[in-house]
Amino acid sequence: MSTQKNSNNRPKKVTTQTLVEMKERGDKISMLTAYDYTMAQILDQAGIDVILVGDSASNVMAGHDTTVPMTMDHMIYHTSCVARGVEKALVIADLPFMSYQVKPTEALTNAGRMMKEAGAHAVKLEGGKPVVKTVNKIVEAGIPVMGHLGLTPQSIYKFGTYKVRATENTEADQLIEDAKRLEEAGCFSIVLEKIPAELAQRVTNELSIPTIGIGAGANCDGQVLVSHDMLGLNKEFKPRFLRRYADMHTDMTDAVQQYISDVKSGDFPNENEEYD
Ligand code: KIV
C-alpha cells in the first residue's frame, strides 16, 4: 500500500474534507477502532483512512456488556493515547452516553474537551432528530461531527436487543429523514449500523456526505469494524457482518503458552538474552 506524501515527505493527513472528496470520486473509506497508542500506530502506518476511538472500548477494553458506563474521562484517556500514535489518519472520538444528550451547551463543552485535551480531530454521537440542534451547536463552534444511525448501542436499554434495525417501513423512513437532518445540521459523515443493505444504499445515494457502514452492506461509502473483532481477538462475538482477518486469539494463546513452557523448562532466557 502506498501512502500519499506531501511536499515535506510527511504522510498526507486525512481530513473531513478528504472523506467527502473520496465519496465524490467513488473511493471507499476504511475505518477501524483503536483505543491505545500501539494499535493506533499499527493502523495508521498500515494506511487506514480513519481511526475511531469508539465507546466500544467499554466492551473490548473494560469488559462491560454495554457502552453505557463510559465517561468523558475514560474517552479522553483513550483518545489521547490514540492521538499520540497517529500521523496521517483522521481521529474521531465517540462522545459517551449522557455527555451530549442533556443540553447542547454541555455537548459543546464536552466535544471541545475531546479536541483540546485529547487531540481528536472530530467527534461522533448517536441519534437522529433529538440531536440535530446539538450537532449544529458543535459544528458551528468549528468541531466536525460524525452522526450514527440504525443500531445505536448507547440506547440498548430502549431497544432491548442488538438485532438489525429499520426493517419496517416506518423506522426506515424515519432513518432516511434523520440522515438528511444530520447532513443539514452539518455532519460531515454518518455511521450506519446494522440496517438492511438496501436501506443503507438509499441513504448513501440521497446524501452528499459519506456513509460508513457496519453491518449495512457493500454500498456505503466506507466500512468500519471494531479492530478486536476483525483481528480475531474475541472468540465469542460472531455476527453475520463480521469478517475476521486474523486469528489473534489463537496466535496470542500459542505465544503465551510457548513462553510459559520456556520459562518453566529454563530455556528462556538463554545466554544471548542475558548481560555479561
Ligand atoms: O463504538 C464503536 O466502536 C462504534 C462503531 C461500532 C461504529 O461506534
Side-chain angles (χ1 to χ4, degrees):
M1 167 163 313
S2 76
T3 304
Q4 271 196 307
K5 302 268 170 83
N6 58 22
S7 52
N8 48 14
N9 214 29
R10 287 246 177 86
K12 211 168 167 217
K13 285 186 190 296
V14 178
T15 66
T16 56
Q17 188 53 34
T18 315
L19 303 189
V20 175
E21 287 164 8
M22 285 173 82
K23 175 175 178 126
E24 284 163 8
R25 286 199 304 269
D27 290 348
K28 295 278 188 183
I29 298 161
S30 60
M31 170 161 140
L32 282 170
T33 63
Y35 319 98
D36 68 272
Y37 172 80
T38 304
M39 182 75 91
Q41 241 188 356
I42 293 170
L43 302 186
D44 191 53
Q45 288 173 9
I48 200 81
D49 297 312
V50 184
I51 295 182
L52 172 67
V53 190
D55 59 358
S56 49
S58 184
N59 308 98
V60 299
M61 301 299 288
H64 293 295
D65 285 341
T66 74
T67 57
V68 168
M70 288 309 271
T71 65
M72 275 301 295
D73 287 345
H74 294 142
M75 289 305 299
I76 283 181
Y77 173 72
H78 286 295
T79 305
S80 62
C81 296
V82 167
R84 284 191 286 273
V86 172
E87 271 192 71
K88 173 183 167 273
L90 183 76
V91 176
I92 304 175
D94 263 337
L95 285 178
F97 183 56
M98 280 300 129
S99 68
Y100 60 91
Q101 289 90 341
V102 181
K103 35 183 184 179
T105 47
E106 192 180 8
L108 175 57
T109 303
N110 286 326
R113 285 189 68 198
M114 215 59 101
M115 272 188 138
K116 280 175 73 104
E117 293 176 39
H121 306 138
V123 296
K124 174 165 83 58
L125 50 77
E126 297 181 5
K129 195 172 162 210
V131 298
V132 162
K133 258 197 190 153
T134 299
V135 167
N136 199 250
K137 181 96 186 152
I138 300 174
V139 173
E140 280 195 339
I143 302 173
V145 178
M146 173 179 259
H148 185 154
L149 294 172
L151 177 65
T152 46
Q154 292 177 8
S155 306
I156 184 58
Y157 290 113
K158 179 174 148 199
F159 296 147
T161 157
Y162 285 106
K163 71 177 202 280
V164 185
R165 304 300 314 176
T167 50
E168 306 293 334
N169 284 346
T170 331
E171 195 182 336
D173 290 346
Q174 182 63 55
L175 191 142
I176 294 174
E177 183 62 32
D178 283 344
K180 288 181 180 164
R181 281 172 185 249
L182 289 177
E183 175 169 27
E184 274 163 29
C187 277
F188 70 90
S189 173
I190 301 178
V191 165
L192 299 175
E193 180 163 356
K194 240 179 161 182
I195 60 169
E198 207 185 309
L199 174 61
Q201 179 165 17
R202 274 177 67 198
V203 176
T204 303
N205 290 344
E206 295 202 22
L207 299 185
S208 54
I209 55 169
T211 59
I212 310 290
I214 172 163
N219 289 306
C220 295
D221 299 302
Q223 297 293 327
V224 57
L225 285 174
V226 169
S227 293
H228 288 58
D229 300 339
M230 62 82 76
L231 291 172
L233 279 160
N234 305 320
K235 268 224 171 315
E236 304 79 25
F237 187 61
K238 291 184 189 152
R240 178 190 168 108
F241 68 77
L242 175 62
R243 187 180 295 179
R244 287 219 172 96
Y245 287 83
D247 182 1
M248 288 190 60
H249 189 282
T250 304
D251 291 348
M252 287 177 72
T253 305
D254 290 350
V256 171
Q257 287 177 339
Q258 186 62 54
Y259 169 76
I260 295 168
S261 156
D262 289 353
V263 169
K264 302 236 179 241
S265 69
D267 182 72
F268 176 79
N270 64 27
E271 60 193 23
N272 295 323
E273 293 158 336
E274 65 189 18
Y275 299 98
D276 294 331

